Amino acid sequence: MQSYCAKVGNDDRVQPVPRALLPNARRMFDVPADMVASRVKATTSVRCMNSAAWLCNYGANLTCGKADVSRKSPRAERFCEQNPDSVGVPMSATGHATVYDWKCVGREARIMGQIVEIDGRGFMAENWMQLE
């Protein structure tokens, strides 16, 4: 994968981590030694950015796909219609890919601020680590 990334530079396709990189993934994400390889493989993705391989280990609240930078959220709007003046809109309503913190002003969803940094390719920077 490293040689592929060195050749292509950027490839935004999020792919399953190759078996050869499983030891790296275990080390980088502090995966317990007793976790079976198939589980590590199932929860780790890889992509190319700036001629390097980058890994993401996702879970219930982490997304490895592109970040949602839309300043309109139909799901947040629906939440606010049902929960007017809510001080926050949960990610279960907005989705975990949003980069914004949302609140309800009356029945309207509004952005309070950006809570996640985005890397140069449009992914949540904190979820990805460059291959060691």
Side-chain angles (χ1 to χ4, degrees):
M1 189 76 196
Q2 297 100 311
S3 60
Y4 170 75
C5 289
K7 185 169 47 174
V8 299
N10 294 311
D11 183 345
D12 292 342
R13 291 178 298 151
V14 176
Q15 303 175 55
V17 67
R19 186 163 290 282
L21 296 182
L22 288 180
N24 300 75
R26 285 182 179 279
R27 201 170 36 258
M28 290 168 66
F29 298 109
D30 218 12
V31 176
D34 62 346
M35 183 179 285
V36 295
S38 61
R39 178 78 178 135
V40 178
K41 187 167 177 47
T43 60
T44 308
S45 298
V46 64
R47 66 183 173 93
C48 300
M49 182 171 70
N50 301 330
S51 299
W54 290 73
L55 275 62
C56 175
N57 187 263
Y58 57 89
N61 297 325
L62 299 177
T63 181
C64 294
K66 286 239 182 181
D68 178 2
V69 297
S70 176
R71 298 187 65 80
K72 296 282 186 192
S73 174
R75 293 173 65 185
E77 290 291 343
R78 278 194 299 279
F79 178 86
C80 290
E81 287 170 8
Q82 297 170 358
N83 302 279
D85 295 315
S86 178
V87 294
V89 179
M91 286 188 162
S92 60
T94 62
H96 292 275
T98 186
V99 299
Y100 300 114
D101 187 18
W102 296 84
K103 73 174 184 176
C104 302
V105 178
R107 295 180 182 275
E108 180 183 324
R110 291 216 187 133
I111 294 171
M112 294 175 57
Q114 185 170 330
I115 55 173
V116 177
E117 292 296 317
I118 304 163
D119 68 24
R121 303 296 304 165
F123 292 84
M124 292 181 173
E126 65 190 30
N127 294 355
W128 288 89
M129 293 179 69
Q130 186 173 349
L131 184 64
E132 301 169 340

